[in-house]
Amino acid sequence: MAVCSRVFWACLALALALLLSFTEARDHLVGGKADAWKVPSSEAESLNKWAEKNRFQIGDYLVWKYDSKKDSVLQVTREAYLSCNTTGPIEAHKEGETKLKLDKSGPYYFISGYQPNCEKGEKIIVVVMADRSTRARAGSPALSPALAPASELEAPAVAPTSGASSGLKAGFILVFGVVVSGVIVM
Ligand SMILES: *[C@@H]1O[C@H](CO)[C@@H](O)[C@H](O)[C@H]1NC(C)=O
């Protein structure tokens, strides 16, 4: 009986520690609400303002909801983003509900498939931070421009150190969990 509960608590502590370190991947509804993929009403409402306030990490998803009869989402190059060139995008999405995985670090450029809307500001740059485990191990070199793709962009202000501290936090939680389980087993 006692053995059983000790093992149970140890497992529970481990499971919680693991859960905490894996639940960081998130869905980001672009613009923060369902009808946000549209021409912004003001500069303050712009999609890049929203992007600046968010942290995007590898493994996270971007989600768009829009009327597929009127709009679409194009993933494009930096040049096409700047000129609102809707011809020959990297990827075109028109389903009305689009979900994309951010599988590498660096900038992603999206524009409306309806060119006049892009011209009026229906466009967004999302910068995905470098892998947090790499940052946690590498320490300060993560601050170098080579590993901080955000630096080439005007808009998103990403705090480069927060990735490292988040990685360290996850590691600490894991170690703490193991120690706690160890103590319980003894
Ligand atoms: C738009 O992009 C396409 C494909 O990359 C290219 O062929 C075309 O010349 C571009 N148009 C303009 C106006 O830059």
Side-chain angles (χ1 to χ4, degrees):
M1 188 66 174
V3 171
C4 192
S5 72
R6 262 190 250 135
V7 171
F8 171 78
W9 286 111
C11 286
L12 189 67
L14 257 183
L16 281 176
L18 283 172
L19 196 66
L20 279 169
S21 59
F22 282 113
T23 47
E24 287 197 65
R26 287 183 298 156
D27 287 357
H28 302 272
L29 183 57
V30 171
K33 50 188 194 287
D35 66 341
W37 190 237
K38 63 181 180 191
V39 174
S41 50
S42 68
E43 176 62 24
E45 292 280 291
S46 84
L47 291 157
N48 282 331
K49 276 272 169 1
W50 171 81
E52 282 168 39
K53 287 190 229 115
N54 282 268
R55 265 173 88 228
F56 303 97
Q57 295 186 314
I58 294 171
D60 287 359
Y61 290 85
L62 290 180
V63 178
W64 284 262
K65 296 198 169 139
Y66 50 92
D67 183 347
S68 62
K69 291 191 213 77
K70 296 185 192 145
D71 215 338
S72 60
V73 177
L74 306 183
Q75 186 180 348
V76 296
T77 60
R78 185 170 194 271
E79 292 68 36
Y81 172 89
L82 293 172
S83 61
C84 282
N85 185 347
T86 54
T87 312
I90 299 167
E91 276 180 32
H93 305 276
K94 321 171 180 235
E95 312 79 21
E97 178 153 348
T98 297
K99 184 167 182 172
L100 290 185
K101 187 171 191 183
L102 301 169
D103 51 13
K104 60 177 171 51
S105 63
Y108 288 71
Y109 303 90
F110 301 97
I111 63 175
S112 167
Y114 182 55
Q115 212 240 359
N117 278 13
C118 174
E119 301 282 2
K120 290 181 205 133
E122 189 181 326
K123 45 156 61 175
I124 189 167
I125 306 174
V126 165
V127 180
V128 178
M129 297 192 303
D131 178 21
R132 65 178 88 91
S133 56
T134 309
R135 279 168 175 267
R137 274 197 304 276
S140 58
L143 297 169
S144 78
L147 289 170
S151 61
E152 70 137 329
L153 298 161
E154 62 289 350
V158 184
T161 47
S162 54
S165 64
S166 147
L168 290 174
K169 195 178 77 189
F172 173 76
I173 290 167
L174 192 61
V175 169
F176 180 74
V178 171
V179 169
V180 167
S181 355
V183 169
I184 291 168
V185 170
M186 285 186 298

